[in-house]
């Protein structure tokens, strides 16, 4: 019995892998759409009007989006390389780290995109404020909230 369930280590690894794949399906679609959007921007007429500062922000967003895409798709490649090698536990652990890194890159991409869009449409100050708010949002929803839930639902020690 592992993790409070009546399942073998292999069953737990299979369940964890299936859950991780479902999460990756959701994130991969979003990051690929965002990446596709960013790929089209340099081919728009107004792109040439961007200041050098906003071009740097765009390039940072683009690189981060490509990084996020690669990290979020990497577990599939790892699965192909480890397929039938009885390494599911290693695969799940590695894919978990890749997914976390991919989500981190995705959050930074969204911060840069907020800076770019608000900065171009409203101005640099608005871009900085928007990007700070987006960063705060992701920190709260993706880090602080889960940490609070873990603390809140941690089993209390037995009474003496």
């Amino acid at each position: 019995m592992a993790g409070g369930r009546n399942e073998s280590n292999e069953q737990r690894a299979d369940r964890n892998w299936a859950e991780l794949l479902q999460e990756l399906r959701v994130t991969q679609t979003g990051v690929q759409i965002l990446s596709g959007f960013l790929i089209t921007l340099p081919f728009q007429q107004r792109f040439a009007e961007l200041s050098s500062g906003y071009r740097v922000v765009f390039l940072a967003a683009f690189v981060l989006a490509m990084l996020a895409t690669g990290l979020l798709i990497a577990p599939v490649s790892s699965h192909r390389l480890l397929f039938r090698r009885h390494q599911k536990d290693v695969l799940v652990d590695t894919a978990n780290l890749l997914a976390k890194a991919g989500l981190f890159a995705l959050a930074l991409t969204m911060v840069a995109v907020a800076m770019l869009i608000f900065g171009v449409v409203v101005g640099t100050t608005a871009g900085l404020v928007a990007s700070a708010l987006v960063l705060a949002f992701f920190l709260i929803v993706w880090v602080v909230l889960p940490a609070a839930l873990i603390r809140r639902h941690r089993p209390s020690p037995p009474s003496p």
Side-chain angles (χ1 to χ4, degrees), residues 87-100:
Q87 299 290 317
K88 185 73 66 93
D89 55 338
V90 172
L91 176 64
V92 170
D93 290 343
T94 302
N96 181 48
L97 290 173
L98 291 166
K100 287 177 182 177

Side-chain angles (χ1 to χ4, degrees), residues 21-97:
L21 281 181
Q22 185 57 34
E23 293 167 6
L24 291 173
R25 283 184 188 102
V26 171
T27 56
Q28 285 173 349
T29 302
V31 77
Q32 288 171 338
I33 290 169
L34 177 59
S35 296
F37 162 73
L38 290 171
I39 287 169
T40 66
L41 284 182
F43 303 102
Q44 304 302 313
Q45 285 183 335
R46 285 196 58 209
F47 189 82
E49 299 172 18
L50 282 183
S51 69
S52 61
Y54 284 118
R55 286 176 189 247
V56 169
V57 172
F58 165 78
L59 289 172
F62 181 75
V63 168
L64 287 165
M66 295 301 109
L67 183 64
T69 300
L71 288 166
L72 292 169
I73 293 174
V76 175
S77 175
S78 296
H79 181 260
R80 284 296 92 209
L81 294 172
L82 294 173
F83 188 66
R84 293 188 178 169
R85 294 183 184 253
H86 307 287
Q87 299 290 317
K88 185 73 66 93
D89 55 338
V90 172
L91 176 64
V92 170
D93 290 343
T94 302
N96 181 48
L97 290 173

Side-chain angles (χ1 to χ4, degrees), residues 105-118:
L106 176 58
L108 293 179
T109 304
M110 299 300 289
V111 169
V113 167
M115 175 64 194
L116 181 65
I117 291 173
F118 276 84

